[in-house]
Amino acid sequence: MNKKLIVGNWKMNGGLAANAALLQALKAGLPQGGTAGVAVAVPSAYLAQAQAELAGSPIGVAAQDVSQHEAGAYTGELSAGMLKEFGTRYVLVGHSERRQYHGETDAVVALKAQAALSKGVTPIVCVGETLAEREAGQTEQVVKRQLAAVIHQVGHCVSELVVAYEPVWAIGTGKTATPEQAQAVHAVLRAQLLAATPKAADIALLYGGSMNAANAEQLLAQADIDGGLVGGASLKAADFLTIIAAAR
Ligand code: 13P
């Protein structure tokens, strides 16, 4: 079985002092013997701080977004090359908040994944259905469409992706998918990846959406759930460490 991967997504939260305290607490509290892989996706302004604080620690630095372009007149954007320069190991692409508030399409998300891969930054490709889509019975169709765009774009590099299933209705709402609901979608995604690469079993499939210290263990026990993408609970050291400890 794969080593599990737990990624904290701080979203637009933090500050220099709070970040330093949180990162120091995580470093101090990380279980010995390195069970799960761990990373924190920090706001871009804090990438340098996270890189410095986490130097020499097994906790990886992740970014929350990347431009699909390599360089040029794209005010406000960050390139994959820039992320790489700050020691960034992972970058979220296609988070539902980017799709929803910044109009990111499947095609743009796919280009972002490719841009990250081209610089050796691992994209964490986020997919997930809205409540309306779930209620209309479209969950499978939506997540497959979102993932297919990326698979098509990256070709044989598909085995280098991390994929995160985040049902939009479970994000920040306290409504978690049940372990069975999450596993059912993860199995669909695994089958889709298997059709694209013989290495599909090695691709980490993370669950995200109100994962917390109380529900992580059950979710992470599912056959196709290889880790978590944790929002709110990643801002509290004790809760995030409990989730990491549950990822055996
Ligand atoms: P919450 O854990 O706060 O629901 O956020 C999930 C998420 O969007 C992580 O990317």
Side-chain angles (χ1 to χ4, degrees):
M1 201 179 69
N2 288 333
K3 185 170 159 168
K4 291 209 178 340
L5 174 63
I6 303 293
V7 180
N9 176 8
W10 291 3
K11 309 193 180 186
M12 198 173 73
N13 294 292
L16 287 171
N19 301 345
L22 177 53
L23 292 173
Q24 279 159 27
L26 293 180
K27 281 192 290 186
L30 209 60
Q32 294 300 307
T35 47
V38 179
V40 284
V42 305
S44 53
Y46 300 127
L47 284 170
Q49 183 193 19
Q51 181 190 31
E53 288 282 355
L54 297 174
S57 125
I59 303 174
V61 178
Q64 298 177 9
D65 184 32
V66 65
S67 172
Q68 69 266 41
H69 303 290
E70 207 170 317
Y74 301 102
T75 301
E77 297 289 288
L78 289 175
S79 72
M82 293 170 188
L83 298 185
K84 186 71 184 173
E85 217 176 1
F86 284 93
T88 305
R89 204 178 295 168
Y90 304 97
V91 59
L92 308 182
V93 298
H95 191 281
S96 64
E97 289 150 17
R98 300 291 318 170
R99 294 180 191 262
Q100 195 179 342
Y101 307 135
H102 302 273
E104 289 191 11
T105 60
D106 294 342
V108 165
V109 172
L111 289 170
K112 288 183 173 205
Q114 187 177 43
L117 285 170
S118 75
K119 299 295 179 191
V121 179
T122 299
I124 300 176
V125 178
C126 304
V127 301
E129 82 288 2
T130 62
L131 185 59
E133 288 164 340
R134 174 162 282 265
E135 286 175 347
Q138 296 169 344
T139 298
E140 192 168 318
Q141 178 191 332
V142 168
V143 298
K144 283 170 86 171
R145 188 201 73 224
Q146 292 172 333
L147 183 57
V150 178
I151 292 174
H152 178 72
Q153 186 71 39
V154 305
H156 68 274
C157 293
V158 60
S159 59
E160 291 163 44
L161 301 174
V162 171
V163 176
Y165 169 54
E166 298 205 304
V168 179
W169 49 270
I171 294 177
T173 58
K175 275 190 215 155
T176 320
T178 64
E180 294 72 25
Q181 281 173 323
Q183 167 57 28
V185 177
H186 280 232
V188 166
L189 296 172
R190 183 83 68 197
Q192 187 178 8
L193 290 165
L194 200 54
T197 172
K199 295 185 193 154
D202 299 332
I203 296 176
L205 286 182
L206 315 183
Y207 168 80
S210 299
M211 184 181 268
N212 60 37
N215 62 26
E217 186 153 9
Q218 263 201 311
L219 286 159
L220 294 166
Q222 301 300 308
D224 290 297
I225 300 186
D226 305 315
L229 182 53
V230 186
S234 74
L235 297 171
K236 297 179 202 134
D239 289 9
F240 195 50
L241 287 166
T242 302
I243 295 171
I244 292 166
R248 287 186 292 268

